[in-house]
Amino acid sequence: MYLKNRKRYGNQTSVRGSTGYGGVNTQQSPDLSIVHYRQVRFFYYKGRARMMRGKTCAPILLILSASLFVMAGCGPAFEIAPFTLSFASGSGDFNRDGLTDFVIVHSGAGRIGYLAVFLQQPGNPGHFTKQTIISDADPDYAVAVQDLNGDGWDDIIVGCKPQAIAVYLQDPSNPGTYTVNRYSIGHNFDSIVIGDLNQDGRPDIAIAWYSSSGGGVTILFNDSAFPGRFLQSVEALSYGAGLGSIAVADFDGDGINDFAATCHTLGKILVYHQNAGAPGTFAAGIEISVGGDPGHLVARDLDGDGRADLVFRSGTNVDILLQNAANPGHFFPLQSFTVGSSADWIDVADLDGDGRLDIVTASYDAKNVTVLLQTPGTQFMNAGSYDCGDPAFTVKIADLNADGRPDLLVAASRGNLIFFQYSSNPGYFYNSGFLEPG
């Protein structure tokens, strides 16, 4: 384990999102200068946003709605090119009103990425007001949501270009305003996971990465002196092949978090245990040969025995490894359940209210999401697929209309979809249509 030669903190910028518009049915605000969509395009060059009409400004604040926007800090308001890719999604309660909100990462080749935060409207369940937040962090993929500094407000962590992450800390005195810190990772990666990885009670950030010569796990530890800021990155694991996805949980029953990661080139799951006497350091546990192409990985207690199990996608299957309660840190033989199409992203929750955790997958190639409902004996029944109309990057389970039932949020290539759960048919969903184009 070693420390890389990096700055203590990343570059910091303050940004604010707009709350001036209603979600899908956008209305103009008389307090904002408005220009029509599709007039002026931005391009990104050497860390600054430039407009093709020649005006240049630091990308401090950009406020958008569904089809209109305003820019502050550099003269007249202009607009950016339309985005077509919605790469990842996360959910939280960003304004602490007790309703579930969500965030989407929008990106595209040669374009500045941005975050779109959707606040559920009080008194109008299932409808949202959109905040769009652009900064020079240039978010691109892999988003996570959690309160990182203990102030009670949800923050946002996102992968960004090139080979970095950005942490958006929300200002509790001015909700909707974020301070952005950027941290270089120096490697390509696909997923971010949050968990306490050094026993100090604060959430840390773990990333599994890959390169042409190998892979590893990088951890950014939360700074105890400045909660929500992160110290120099630590390479907790260096491996001879690229790693794709990572999950954090207590895998050996000692009460502290460990991690597991997928190695798709070798068809393995790696489990590393945190050293109880040396917080933030890890020892190799086991390597499990699972074959195929293990991808997105989630740790959940599927069988209700109080121990974390592993769920991951592998080709057209969802595979699970149930932990052996009699031998903590070890797992029973692999079980596979057919999805019927490529499974690129998974999420796990109790969808039908029977007390058992179920699984949902998103498929890029099949352009759909598939639901697997758990049956007695920790078996899973394919309960059908739902057409998205476009390649689906990720799926997130959350109650998005305040009825107490989990719904499905999908980040698809041309926009974001919500599948609401039927109140009379638990575990089954209907398509509400595109919530918002990218």
Side-chain angles (χ1 to χ4, degrees):
M1 209 165 83
Y2 61 92
L3 296 178
K4 291 198 167 183
N5 183 22
R6 295 177 179 155
K7 294 180 181 179
R8 181 178 176 85
Y9 303 118
N11 296 327
Q12 180 171 302
T13 308
S14 293
V15 297
R16 179 176 175 83
S18 167
T19 57
Y21 303 106
V24 177
N25 298 317
T26 303
Q27 298 179 352
Q28 295 189 20
S29 166
D31 300 323
L32 299 178
S33 300
I34 301 296
V35 294
H36 196 269
Y37 201 62
R38 301 176 187 272
Q39 286 185 351
V40 180
R41 295 176 182 267
F42 275 61
F43 63 99
Y44 204 68
Y45 178 69
K46 292 185 178 179
R48 298 180 69 86
R50 299 179 182 268
M51 292 176 289
M52 295 180 68
R53 288 186 179 177
K55 290 192 178 285
T56 304
C57 67
I60 297 176
L61 171 63
L62 190 58
I63 305 171
L64 291 87
S65 70
S67 60
L68 304 168
F69 76 93
V70 63
M71 184 168 178
C74 61
F78 296 99
E79 55 117 33
I80 61 171
F83 286 76
T84 57
L85 297 180
S86 306
F87 269 117
S89 60
S91 64
D93 182 3
F94 293 105
N95 56 359
R96 299 207 310 182
D97 63 355
L99 299 174
T100 302
D101 313 308
F102 64 90
V103 59
I104 296 284
V105 179
H106 287 296
S107 186
R111 299 169 177 174
I112 306 170
Y114 69 89
L115 297 179
V117 176
F118 292 82
L119 302 177
Q120 192 165 176
Q121 298 173 3
N124 197 12
H127 294 78
F128 297 82
T129 298
K130 181 180 178 182
Q131 294 181 325
T132 300
I133 304 167
I134 289 187
S135 74
D136 58 359
D138 197 8
D140 190 36
Y141 53 88
V143 66
V145 175
Q146 189 159 330
D147 176 10
L148 295 174
N149 55 3
D151 64 0
W153 292 84
D154 277 337
D155 308 304
I156 303 169
I157 311 95
V158 63
C160 56
K161 306 170 187 174
Q163 299 181 336
I165 65 167
V167 174
Y168 290 69
L169 291 177
Q170 189 166 185
D171 182 356
S173 65
N174 198 4
T177 298
Y178 296 82
T179 297
V180 185
N181 288 290
R182 181 185 173 99
Y183 302 88
S184 176
I185 302 302
H187 302 288
N188 296 313
F189 61 94
D190 290 327
S191 65
I192 298 169
V193 69
I194 310 300
D196 178 11
L197 290 165
N198 60 355
Q199 305 174 46
D200 67 353
R202 298 178 179 85
D204 307 306
I205 301 172
I207 295 164
W209 57 266
Y210 58 91
S211 70
S212 59
S213 59
V217 171
T218 292
I219 299 176
L220 286 83
F221 292 112
N222 210 322
D223 188 346
S224 60
F226 300 95
R229 297 184 183 182
F230 293 83
L231 303 173
Q232 292 171 310
S233 61
V234 172
E235 297 294 350
L237 164 64
S238 181
Y239 198 68
L243 303 183
S245 184
I246 185 170
V248 169
D250 176 11
F251 290 114
D252 55 5
D254 62 357
I256 58 178
N257 279 332
D258 313 303
F259 67 78
T262 60
C263 178
H264 69 93
T265 56
L266 300 181
K268 290 184 176 182
I269 304 291
L270 315 179
V271 180
Y272 274 63
H273 300 302
Q274 187 172 174
N275 295 309
T281 67
F282 297 82
I286 56 173
E287 295 189 6
I288 307 169
S289 293
V290 295
D293 179 24
H296 185 226
L297 176 71
V298 173
R300 296 287 192 279
D301 179 11
L302 292 176
D303 54 4
D305 66 353
R307 300 185 182 278
D309 307 306
L310 294 172
V311 189
F312 56 97
R313 71 95 174 148
S314 182
T316 60
N317 294 333
V318 168
D319 291 346
I320 67 172
L321 290 166
L322 298 177
Q323 191 171 170
N324 185 348
N327 191 9
H330 294 77
F331 297 82
F332 290 113
L334 184 76
Q335 299 181 59
S336 294
F337 300 92
T338 299
V339 175
S341 58
S342 62
D344 297 296
W345 192 269
I346 60 176
D347 201 5
V348 176
D350 179 6
L351 295 175
D352 54 4
D354 65 355
R356 303 183 183 97
L357 294 182
D358 309 303
I359 302 170
V360 61
T361 71
S363 173
Y364 181 89
D365 291 334
K367 303 179 182 179
N368 66 14
V369 291
T370 299
V371 173
L372 301 178
L373 296 178
Q374 188 174 166
T375 59
T378 323
Q379 299 298 300
F380 289 86
M381 172 189 73
N382 191 321
S385 297
Y386 300 87
D387 182 35
C388 297
D390 289 287
F393 289 101
T394 65
V395 60
K396 180 69 178 178
I397 301 172
D399 178 8
L400 296 169
N401 59 357
D403 66 352
R405 300 176 182 87
D407 307 303
L408 308 180
L409 170 66
V410 182
S413 62
R414 288 191 300 124
N416 319 310
L417 299 93
I418 292 178
F419 293 87
F420 289 123
Q421 186 167 176
Y422 286 107
S423 59
S424 59
N425 197 6
Y428 293 84
F429 301 82
Y430 63 93
N431 190 345
S432 69
F434 278 100
L435 172 72
E436 177 80 18

